[in-house]
Amino acid sequence: MSECKLDHSHEDVKAKYEQQKEFLPNDTIHLFEGFFQKEHTQDILNEVFHLLKKFDLSSNDEKEERVNRLYLILKNV
């Protein structure tokens, strides 16, 4: 994944999630629901945005890595 210098808002992350939701494991839905009910640091928002960005176009190995990173974040915030 490439890094960018833009800061992504809560709304940006939610919109990206909505775009990619159908490609994510079903058990992430409740984790994201909880995530969006809280405030998060800019670093967390940016990381989640980039994990979701082009998720549908990622290889299976890349998807697995991204999902693992998402679980780590979503279960610990």
Side-chain angles (χ1 to χ4, degrees):
M1 278 177 305
S2 62
E3 295 297 320
C4 81
K5 303 294 184 208
L6 294 176
D7 284 338
H8 299 284
S9 69
H10 188 271
E11 292 75 24
D12 292 341
V13 176
K14 190 165 189 166
K16 188 57 65 182
Y17 166 72
E18 291 297 330
Q19 291 173 353
Q20 298 295 329
K21 180 167 65 172
E22 68 184 279
F23 304 103
L24 295 166
N26 288 335
D27 61 346
T28 62
I29 293 171
H30 76 281
L31 295 172
F32 272 104
E33 288 172 354
F35 178 83
F36 291 125
Q37 292 176 7
K38 301 175 187 172
E39 294 294 320
H40 301 287
T41 66
Q42 191 62 62
D43 287 342
I44 295 289
L45 292 172
N46 290 348
E47 172 124 17
V48 172
F49 182 90
H50 287 285
L51 290 170
L52 292 171
K53 185 177 177 182
K54 297 184 180 178
F55 184 87
D56 56 328
L57 302 177
S58 300
S59 69
N60 287 338
D61 288 342
E62 178 72 17
K63 284 179 183 175
E64 186 177 331
E65 182 181 324
R66 289 182 187 211
V67 166
N68 287 338
R69 289 173 65 189
L70 282 168
Y71 282 140
L72 280 173
I73 294 168
L74 296 173
K75 290 181 177 182
N76 291 297
V77 291

